[in-house]
Amino acid sequence: MSSVRELGLTTVDGVPRVTSTPIIALTALCTGTALTRTDVSVTSTAQSLGSAAAGSASDIELVLDPGTALRSGVQVLVGDGEATTVGYDASTGEIYLDRSTSGTIPNGTFASADRACVEPDADGLIRLRILVDHSSVEVFAEDGTAVLTDTVFPSAGSTGVSLFADGGKATFTSVTVNRMGSAR
């Protein structure tokens, strides 16, 4: 875990669940102007958000309508043949964090994809907050009831951000990318 988190307790379907969300003070580390996009449709491809979204430390919030796509989401720390993929798999009902092409792979078991079950909200949307901090990627879904965190070792030049959809069309109803500065 690279960010300070606030723990909470909520009830989901009558069952108590621990939640984990980034502390509000983290927004004080945002630098520059946020990149904001709305209603971006992507069909069976990846679409770069350009240099305004690039960086090795960022806070990304997105609202995703998976539509007909089998998998859709965002790739972070994108570079020459490298990317760490955060997505929603409609066939399994899971979010995932895939670091199999995230840069240096120190051993055979490192190249993995972690998963957590999530359900689209009442509007059929998936809401994700993704924190990228040089060598870690954290994913928060369903108000912190589903959280994934992994260490990654990208090359120094791998700083791109792309939206993607596989096997159909997905719409990103809202995407906000804030570059993050140091807490020091």
Side-chain angles (χ1 to χ4, degrees):
M1 168 169 48
S2 68
S3 66
V4 179
R5 300 179 185 182
E6 180 177 336
L7 298 178
L9 188 62
T10 191
T11 302
V12 177
D13 297 328
V15 178
R17 299 271 310 263
V18 173
T19 62
S20 177
T21 55
I23 61 170
I24 293 171
L26 198 61
T27 58
L29 298 178
C30 294
T31 61
T33 303
L35 171 82
T36 303
R37 298 284 185 267
T38 56
D39 299 320
V40 178
S41 293
V42 180
T43 304
S44 299
T45 190
Q47 179 177 327
S48 173
L49 290 178
S51 61
S56 58
S58 54
D59 184 349
I60 302 169
E61 294 189 54
L62 64 89
V63 179
L64 166 67
D65 178 349
T68 61
L70 299 175
R71 287 169 304 283
S72 51
V74 62
Q75 294 175 319
V76 297
L77 302 171
V78 177
D80 187 23
E82 296 180 3
T84 301
T85 304
V86 176
Y88 175 70
D89 186 329
S91 66
T92 62
E94 297 172 319
I95 59 166
Y96 60 93
L97 173 54
D98 183 349
R99 64 182 180 179
S100 61
T101 61
S102 64
T104 300
I105 307 296
N107 61 53
T109 61
F110 185 85
S112 63
D114 295 323
R115 296 175 167 272
C117 291
V118 298
E119 291 184 25
D121 65 15
D123 296 322
L125 304 174
I126 302 293
R127 297 172 192 279
L128 300 175
R129 183 168 181 194
I130 303 152
L131 299 179
V132 179
D133 185 17
H134 305 281
S135 63
S136 70
V137 178
E138 299 173 271
V139 182
F140 302 86
E142 293 187 338
D143 297 319
T145 58
V147 178
L148 302 172
T149 301
D150 266 332
T151 302
V152 295
F153 300 106
S155 301
S158 294
T159 60
V161 178
S162 297
L163 304 177
F164 78 92
D166 290 332
K169 177 181 172 182
T171 301
F172 296 83
T173 60
S174 171
V175 178
T176 302
V177 180
N178 281 292
R179 289 188 183 176
M180 304 292 286
S182 175
R184 297 179 210 163

